[in-house]
Amino acid sequence: MPTELPAQSRAQRALRSHLLRSRIAGVVSTSRERSLSRYRMFVAGDPRALLGLEPERDWRLGDLLQLMGRKCGVSADPGHTSGQDVIDPDRTIVALSAFAERLAAAAAAAAPVLIGTGHPHRLLGFYAGLAAGLSAAGCTVLRPAQGRSVDITTRFGVRTYNLDYVRGVALVREPGARGCGSEPGVHTHSPLPLRVALGAAMDGDGPLPAMVVGDHGWVCGAGQLGIEALGLADADDPAPFVGQAEGRVSVVVPLDDTVRSDYYRPLTRYVLNRACLSQ
């Protein structure tokens, strides 16, 4: 546990209860075996775990465990090799508060913001709520490169997807696919959709973003390129936390990114209220 945490408000106590009840934090669905496997991939420099980040230092497994223990609350003991991982809900709340502060600053400056997710089936609603709040506050929520193709290497080989925007949130779809309900798109960790979007912005398809909000390759890819980046990350994705530790990612919120999409609504409300962006 952190040595010091600020006293929690009533809203934070309610949020903490929700995080534990929904298993967004506390004992989460991410297995210890999967987390350790991903940590080893990161240490080995596997692009699937780097998510577009190029670490400045040589991270060893022990160092990474210590970092993830401090940032997420997972066990830093290398001898702990099985069972379910644990995310400290208090760390999640502290990070959500910092996340809200950065959004408030972007809103105050009317900064152009790019929002993207590799988890559209779970997190689209969370990000769409932020997009609406930022837009209402005068920020331009960017949509560069809509419809452009993106070639992404997957375990099935190179697949071509199309970059699309739903309620202000960037995601990728299978070619020819159309949105279905509120959760379209495919899961990806790749930074390539971000790079395609930024390339289009540089070519005149809107301004470059002052901030990128997202997960996976969106947040790591933006941080690597020197753009302010903040987002969400699970306990088995060390790259955003390393980016934060090395000063290239502003805020990373530790949470389970695979629970039901409606379970993230209280997090959206908390962030918008804290940032004074509620509509």
Side-chain angles (χ1 to χ4, degrees):
M1 293 290 291
T3 55
E4 288 188 25
L5 282 170
Q8 291 185 333
S9 67
R10 181 177 179 181
Q12 289 171 328
R13 292 193 297 272
L15 179 60
R16 189 181 194 278
S17 295
H18 172 74
L19 293 172
L20 293 171
R21 186 168 57 251
S22 63
R23 296 186 64 181
I24 292 175
V27 179
V28 294
S29 64
T30 308
S31 70
R32 180 66 169 181
E33 293 90 337
R34 175 172 172 78
S35 291
L36 289 175
S37 174
R38 296 281 297 181
Y39 299 169
R40 293 188 185 101
M41 289 168 63
F42 183 92
V43 168
D46 191 318
R48 294 172 295 175
L50 295 178
L51 311 182
L53 188 75
E54 297 176 12
E56 294 177 346
R57 55 168 285 193
D58 183 17
W59 286 85
R60 299 181 180 181
L61 182 59
D63 299 330
L64 206 55
L65 281 169
Q66 291 293 324
L67 175 69
M68 297 303 288
R70 292 194 303 272
K71 295 296 186 180
C72 293
V74 303
S75 172
D77 179 6
H80 179 195
T81 59
S82 62
Q84 300 307 118
D85 251 329
V86 176
I87 294 176
D88 179 1
D90 295 321
R91 286 174 169 83
T92 303
I93 292 170
V94 168
L96 281 170
S97 299
F99 187 100
E101 290 173 8
R102 295 310 308 147
L103 289 185
V113 179
L114 177 61
I115 304 175
T117 182
H119 261 300
H121 289 80
R122 306 298 183 190
L123 297 174
L124 176 59
F126 173 83
Y127 293 120
L130 304 185
L134 288 167
S135 180
C139 291
T140 301
V141 178
L142 303 174
R143 295 171 173 82
Q146 183 158 15
R148 297 275 185 93
S149 62
V150 186
D151 294 329
I152 298 176
T153 300
T154 73
R155 58 180 175 171
F156 306 108
V158 176
R159 294 288 182 88
T160 299
Y161 299 103
N162 292 331
L163 182 62
D164 201 2
Y165 290 83
V166 177
R167 296 158 61 197
V169 183
L171 48 85
V172 293
R173 302 187 196 271
E174 296 278 359
R178 294 185 177 182
C180 178
S182 62
E183 298 179 333
V186 298
H187 177 220
T188 179
H189 287 200
S190 174
L192 294 178
L194 168 82
R195 293 174 186 168
V196 168
L198 293 180
M202 291 180 68
D203 289 339
D205 189 8
L208 283 169
M211 172 185 287
V212 172
V213 179
D215 48 59
H216 296 305
W218 290 93
V219 68
C220 288
Q224 180 64 36
L225 293 173
I227 301 170
E228 181 174 12
L230 53 152
L232 316 178
D234 209 331
D236 63 348
D237 280 326
F241 297 101
V242 169
Q244 185 181 31
E246 292 186 345
R248 280 172 290 169
V249 176
S250 292
V251 181
V252 186
V253 180
L255 49 71
D256 189 321
D257 58 14
T258 62
V259 306
R260 281 174 35 179
S261 58
D262 58 311
Y263 286 172
Y264 298 102
R265 289 175 188 162
L267 281 67
T268 306
R269 288 195 297 269
Y270 177 80
V271 169
L272 291 177
N273 287 336
R274 185 96 180 183
C276 298
L277 295 174
S278 297
Q279 300 177 63

